[in-house]
Amino acid sequence: SAVGHEGDWTVADMVADLKRHGKVVNREVRWRSKAGAELTVLFSADTIDMDGETHVLSVALDVTAQRQAEVRHSAILRALPDWVFLMSADGIFLDCHVKDREFLLAAPEDFVGRHVTEVLPAELAANLTRLFEQVARRDQPGTFEYFVPAGGQIRYYEVRAVRCTDRILTIVRDVTEGKRAEHQARDLRQELAHMSRVSTLAALTGSLAHEIRQPLAAIRTNAQAARRIIGQADPDMPELRDALGD
């Protein structure tokens, strides 16, 4: 039996279409099975004459599982923060799912149906083309990272591509914040290493200064002693030679 939902195609609609056109082709309807399960079916019907009487021949194809899968896939796409692009194997944009368009290099309506080389910077387009060729040839996921100026700043992205029958499904993730955190951590490590070197140099300098002051003090003492000896009326020459020799 048909299940009525607001906006659904009803049995009355089916009868009206049959009367008007003589046939119905692949109309999606809600159907309830004998067990009470609600199904989604593609309904087709045609009128035929038999022995002077008009009969209706109808076929209902159960597409419930397919529709449920489509609903799940749609929910997954809505939940993804990433950009999703469906590409041909040779690099033509076929479809896309983009929640945030702020940093797109072009609006979807401007690149769907066009080749990557017509939309993206030359180097990026060349890298993507090589990635698609690799994925199509090896049937394994491929990834690479790139950065582009967008919105007055440098944005970093990770591309993951996988073959989907004769097409390429590409997911592009914005990893800008992660890259900035990496750069900050690297700068901090370099600063800490610099501070460590400066601290080590300061300690070494202090140690050297201590080691140098000791003999300099002895030299100064001996020089002062030699000067006093020379100033005597009768200088003690052996003592003077010892002080100067030391």
Side-chain angles (χ1 to χ4, degrees):
S1 61
V3 179
H5 291 279
E6 184 178 355
D8 283 350
W9 191 63
T10 65
V11 174
D13 296 330
M14 177 191 71
V15 173
D17 273 4
L18 279 172
K19 289 181 177 179
R20 186 180 306 111
H21 305 293
K23 65 171 59 179
V24 173
V25 180
N26 288 339
R27 294 296 298 269
E28 187 170 303
V29 298
R30 302 291 181 87
W31 211 266
R32 192 180 302 280
S33 69
K34 291 182 178 179
E38 187 174 315
L39 308 176
T40 301
V41 301
L42 285 180
F43 184 84
S44 297
D46 201 352
T47 55
I48 58 175
D49 289 329
M50 295 180 61
D51 299 328
E53 293 185 357
T54 301
H55 297 265
V56 176
L57 179 65
S58 63
V59 176
L61 176 64
D62 186 353
V63 294
T64 305
Q66 179 182 338
R67 293 295 181 264
Q68 290 174 345
E70 290 173 355
V71 169
R72 286 195 299 270
H73 293 163
S74 177
I76 291 171
L77 284 177
R78 290 197 304 270
L80 280 176
D82 308 315
W83 298 339
V84 182
F85 302 93
L86 184 63
M87 317 287 299
S88 66
D90 57 355
I92 295 177
F93 290 96
L94 302 177
D95 198 2
C96 70
H97 171 79
V98 179
K99 291 185 68 173
D100 184 1
R101 300 188 178 193
E102 181 181 0
F103 298 113
L104 278 178
L105 296 182
E109 55 270 19
D110 294 331
F111 63 74
V112 171
R114 300 174 64 187
H115 196 272
V116 291
T117 55
E118 300 178 80
V119 179
L120 302 177
E123 183 178 357
L124 176 56
N127 288 333
L128 280 175
T129 300
R130 283 193 293 270
L131 177 67
F132 297 158
E133 292 173 351
Q134 170 189 330
V135 167
R137 184 172 61 254
R138 300 180 181 177
D139 195 22
Q140 294 180 350
T143 62
F144 85 94
E145 293 186 356
Y146 70 95
F147 62 89
V148 291
Q153 57 183 298
I154 298 297
R155 307 293 299 183
Y156 295 84
Y157 297 94
E158 179 189 70
V159 180
R160 180 173 293 271
V162 63
R163 192 172 78 179
C164 181
T165 62
D166 60 341
R167 300 175 179 180
I168 305 294
L169 183 66
T170 305
I171 297 178
V172 180
R173 173 164 296 181
D174 189 333
V175 294
T176 302
E177 297 306 320
K179 284 297 181 182
R180 287 175 179 169
E182 287 180 13
H183 293 167
Q184 290 174 353
R186 181 194 62 197
D187 293 342
L188 181 59
R189 287 195 299 269
Q190 291 177 347
E191 184 177 351
L192 289 174
H194 174 69
M195 292 176 63
S196 177
R197 290 193 295 270
V198 170
S199 176
T200 300
L201 181 59
L204 179 61
T205 302
S207 176
L208 287 174
H210 174 75
E211 296 298 325
I212 292 173
R213 277 196 298 267
Q214 295 278 15
L216 285 178
I219 291 170
R220 181 182 181 189
T221 300
N222 285 330
Q224 290 173 341
R227 188 167 61 180
R228 285 196 300 270
I229 293 171
I230 291 173
Q232 294 175 0
D234 186 13
D236 185 345
M237 298 306 294
E239 186 179 3
L240 178 60
R241 290 194 186 94
D242 289 342
L244 293 175
D246 191 45

